[in-house]
């Protein structure tokens, strides 16, 4: 499947890009993050992150569809 | 209403939007860029956001405040991009019939914004270093 | 600082006085003249004060807030004289390192001002009547 | 003794003046208020009022001095 991945804050620094398109056999955010964490060397365990698909928060077991926009969100620090 | 702003926040214009003839109380919160954090001198900072989701989540928080508290109006604007020390980073304003609800709703909004809205702060230090911050303002390990 | 004002309160000037490089939070409270009270339409009101004692007691309250909470600066200005519906009657502003102290001190100041400072509100109603109010905004019997 | 009395809010309306000078045998605010309440028809019981002498809050048993400025303060309603 094809996904569009968005990266923010320290994940963006680690990936070296703000977004990228990937081909992956992963069918949920959990598997997709494991794959990308290994590739980019992300330090965060999934429990520290939230996941959003197509601009809405969702769970790590969400069933992904081809073309989905997926973001792994580090702990926020606005305000 | 919640929105992100890439330019300085016009607090007088926002406050004017809160006016209601039946509102007797108005509480505002401003978050300012401090000159230090954890003993390090801060030169400035940059906020990065996931804009689409930040505005959606921010609007949801303001809507929750309207449901939970007897308020007349509530607004929140959060800066993104580069900010200098002393600049206004986030503004929350709430008007209400009475002050209990205005204080509670204003506090609710800033607490939830800091907890939930996908915005990240990167501080630039006087020693040339910079770094992303955790929600409790400690550096990311 | 606490003072009475016979003219409109310049909130921008007051807020500027709260700026501190080490302050990350600023909370303000504004009390506005409402258009109704207890079901009666209000045309406006007048505040009478015992000026000497009001300023002394107001300064004491602000000083208490500085002792009780970790704040950077605190100001309060209360109008006296005639006010129209929608006008600003009282303004409280507090800056602090962090928001907990700013919210708590701002709330403390307005609560104590309403409870202790010798200022009295006389409401003018749309039906031509007027009357002095109790602290809970019910008319004096 | 001579006192200067200040009146505010509904007490001012009842007295018809903002201040007045009185001669009185009263030696504390309690006795002085009883005297003035009878004269002007003040409705408030002392328990509802606070008393200030020379611009500072004090108690009803405060020993008054000749020339003191005394104010009986109705429940406040600022803010």
């Amino acid at each position: 499947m094809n996904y569009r991945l968005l990266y923010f804050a320290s994940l963006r620094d680690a990936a070296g890009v703000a977004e990228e398109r990937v081909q992956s056999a992963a069918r949920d955010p959990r598997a997709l993050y494991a794959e990308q964490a290994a590739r980019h060397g992300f330090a965060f365990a999934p429990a520290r992150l939230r996941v959003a698909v197509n601009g809405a928060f969702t769970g790590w077991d969400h069933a992904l569809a081809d073309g989905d926009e997926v973001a792994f969100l580090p702990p926020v620090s606005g305000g | 209403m919640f929105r992100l702003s890439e330019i300085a926040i016009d607090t007088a214009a926002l406050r004017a939007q809160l006016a209601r003839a039946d509102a007797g109380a108005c509480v505002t919160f401003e978050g300012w860029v401090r000159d230090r954090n954890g003993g390090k001198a801060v030169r400035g900072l940059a906020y990065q956001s996931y804009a689409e989701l930040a505005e959606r989540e921010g609007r949801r928080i303001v809507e929750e405040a309207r449901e939970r508290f007897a308020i007349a109006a509530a607004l929140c604007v959060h800066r993104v991009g580069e900010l200098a020390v002393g600049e206004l980073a986030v503004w929350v304003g709430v008007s209400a019939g009475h002050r209990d609800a205005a204080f509670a709703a204003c506090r609710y909004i800033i607490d939830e914004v800091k907890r939930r809205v996908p915005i990240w702060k990167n501080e630039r230090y006087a020693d040339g270093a910079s770094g992303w911050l955790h929600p409790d303002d400690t550096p990311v390990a």
Side-chain angles (χ1 to χ4, degrees), chain A, chain B:
Chain A
M1 305 238 271
N2 289 286
Y3 302 115
R4 182 162 169 255
L5 302 184
L6 307 182
Y7 299 120
F8 299 96
S10 53
L11 293 189
R12 181 178 295 184
D13 294 349
V17 294
E19 58 178 88
E20 61 180 351
R21 294 187 180 275
V22 299
Q23 270 208 324
S24 169
R27 290 291 180 273
D28 61 33
R30 190 184 309 280
L32 186 59
Y33 180 72
E35 202 176 83
Q36 301 307 313
R39 189 160 75 91
H40 291 302
F42 293 155
F44 286 112
R48 303 282 325 277
L49 303 173
R50 284 185 297 171
V51 60
V53 173
N54 301 326
F57 291 117
T58 187
W60 288 95
D61 299 320
H62 179 90
L64 293 173
D66 192 54
D68 275 353
E69 176 184 286
V70 183
F72 304 110
L73 306 175
V76 300
S77 51
Chain B
M1 187 276 280
F2 177 95
R3 63 182 170 80
L4 302 174
S5 174
E6 296 185 358
I7 59 169
I9 298 169
D10 180 349
T11 60
L14 289 169
R15 179 190 167 289
Q17 290 178 43
L18 295 175
R20 301 287 185 279
D22 60 349
C26 175
V27 173
T28 71
F29 172 82
E30 299 188 6
W32 296 343
V33 179
R34 294 198 299 156
D35 69 350
R36 70 193 72 162
N37 184 13
K40 296 174 83 168
V42 172
R43 279 285 159 75
L45 55 77
Y47 284 108
Q48 204 179 83
S49 79
Y50 182 3
E52 178 190 358
L53 184 52
E55 296 205 325
R56 182 181 294 185
E57 191 71 358
R59 286 193 300 268
R60 181 172 297 153
I61 289 165
V62 171
E63 200 46 50
E64 288 167 5
R66 295 175 57 85
E67 289 163 7
R68 284 167 187 244
F69 307 102
I71 63 177
L75 305 172
C76 179
V77 179
H78 200 299
R79 279 292 305 278
V80 289
E82 297 280 334
L83 279 79
V85 168
E87 269 201 272
L88 177 57
V90 57
W91 186 92
V92 182
V94 176
S95 60
H98 299 283
R99 69 190 185 285
D100 270 344
F103 272 103
C106 186
R107 183 66 199 254
Y108 178 83
I109 291 170
I110 185 60
D111 284 358
E112 294 300 302
V113 164
K114 289 176 79 87
R115 197 170 71 80
R116 290 160 49 186
V117 174
I119 297 173
W120 297 271
K121 175 161 53 179
N122 191 293
E123 286 184 345
R124 288 180 289 102
Y125 304 108
D127 63 7
S130 68
W132 295 102
L133 297 184
H134 276 317
D136 58 1
D137 274 355
T138 57
V140 173

